[in-house]
Amino acid sequence: LKRRSSRDCGAICCGAIPSAVILKARMATNDCVKFYNVIILGLGFFSLFTAFQTSGLLQPTSLRSYFSKNCSASHPLHYADKIGYYNYFIIYGMLAISNWVAAPIVALLTPKWSMVIGAAAYCLFMGALIHPVIYLVFIAAAILGFAAGFLWTAQGNFLFMNSNDNTIGRNSGIFWFMLQLSLVFGNLFVFVYTHETHTANATCVAKSQNTVIFVVLTVFGVCGVVILALLRPLKDSPSSESGESTYSLLRPGQKARHADLPKPLTALIKSFELLITPNMALLAICFFYTGLELELWSGVFVTCVGRTETLGVTYLALAGLFIGIGEIIGGGLFGVFGKLTSRYGRDPIVMLGMVVHLATFVGMFYVFPDGCPMHVVKAQFADGELVNHNHTNQLIVVLILAVMIGFGDSCYNTQIYSILGGLYKDEQSAPAMALFKFFQSVAAMVGFAYSGYIGLRWQLLIVAVMAVIGSIAFCYVELSMFGRRGVTQHISTNN
């Protein structure tokens, strides 16, 4: 009996060694798949948003050119100056609605295919801008807005599920860095092309230019759809004993594909439950601010550049490029030093973003005339002529402001992704991301609703007030989390 027990024990021990090796190999493979997914996710969004972010920055000016009398439209529209704002209003209005049903859709379609379908809707909108028909453009904008809800919810969910507490800061920084590269490459193309084919009216986009630009951008968007289709599911969880393959929406440690996935009704209920929690209620204020500043830089800032006679369409693209440079600097820094934010907190970065944005708003107040969001204007200071005779000085100031507004935007967005990944795990990540995009979309929709009707100074005042309030709310949540984390580490050290 003793000899038999020894043999059994030896067999168990001999079997344990290969099992440990297999377990370690599976963990290593899973980590490789996760990093692959983060890179492919970034590349897919880079290609898609090389097309869309450039289209979005350009479309208020291109549509005004296409349908306004002074740019030789055959059937001019009296609201041509505001068509681009209407598009944004429709997009973000539909996105706000879509976010309430985004989590159930992601649960049913899976994150990968939610992103692929959503990306295809972006391509539909860009295709509608090649030879725009006003009502078809509005319909395409509505489809895009609805599809964007589950594209962004799936993106955040997929990023969280391919990260852990130690890598979420790095991964969100990498993703943000690659996403904002799109602003550089797309706007560089438009800058070079419009500079080589410039028209007599610097504030207009010729119809021939419009066709070439949006054909090229649509092709870039389709490439993004193809890249997103290459995302891979996670391998078997190391802790899973069933041998079943875990789905990419699940974190390691979850056992079955359907057991822990949020059902459609459950996911919707979880969104409402999260909304009334203290942390989410406070973060919603910061979310709302990111929507207002998104409207400011993507709609108002670049449109003011394009509608200022001494700058025009060519330098609109250059301003968009420099916004991208600011975004890249922020995303790169916070990706490289992501572990430091986990150690020292995210609040210093958000406060830095607030200071940079407030300084940018002051600069915009002096550089752009009050009426530039509403119509074509001449450049001037608030109380007199700017340097119309010194075009270089004016351009340098605008490009510095572009870098600043992009850098500040990256401060907020990278830290929001990071704090959501730290606060909301597993099945809560999709509802949390949906709520972030909901509040951001509502704020952007509100901003675009008034952007064509009130002066720049009032818009800057509204955004500045929300920057202070939203930053304070974020820091309160972060400091409460950081305090709890510090107490936990202190207890575990003493034990």
Side-chain angles (χ1 to χ4, degrees), residues 240-362:
S240 175
E241 298 175 0
S242 63
E244 295 180 7
S245 178
T246 54
Y247 177 58
S248 62
L249 186 63
L250 302 178
R251 283 184 178 273
Q254 291 178 287
K255 294 182 180 179
R257 173 171 177 169
H258 298 291
D260 294 314
L261 270 175
K263 303 298 182 184
L265 182 59
T266 304
L268 189 59
I269 292 172
K270 285 184 180 295
S271 295
F272 283 99
E273 288 176 345
L274 283 179
L275 180 59
I276 60 175
T277 59
N279 281 338
M280 183 58 74
L282 287 169
L283 288 174
I285 303 172
C286 189
F287 299 163
F288 195 87
Y289 168 67
T290 64
L292 290 180
E293 60 96 5
L294 169 65
E295 174 269 334
L296 189 74
W297 71 257
S298 66
V300 174
F301 181 85
V302 291
T303 300
C304 285
V305 175
R307 291 182 181 180
T308 301
E309 290 182 352
T310 51
L311 294 170
V313 174
T314 298
Y315 295 111
L316 177 158
L318 193 61
L321 188 156
F322 274 77
I323 291 173
I325 290 174
E327 299 274 10
I328 290 166
I329 292 171
L333 284 175
F334 307 139
V336 171
F337 300 108
K339 289 185 178 179
L340 294 180
T341 62
S342 300
R343 184 181 304 173
Y344 298 109
R346 307 170 182 92
D347 46 302
I349 296 174
V350 169
M351 295 306 292
L352 173 63
M354 181 192 74
V355 171
V356 171
H357 269 179
L358 291 177
T360 305
F361 303 155
V362 173

Side-chain angles (χ1 to χ4, degrees), residues 51 77 137 174 179 270 346 348 364 442 484 487 494:
L77 300 174
V137 171
I174 290 172
L179 174 64
K270 285 184 180 295
R346 307 170 182 92
M364 290 176 64
V442 168
R484 287 196 300 271
V487 169
N494 290 340

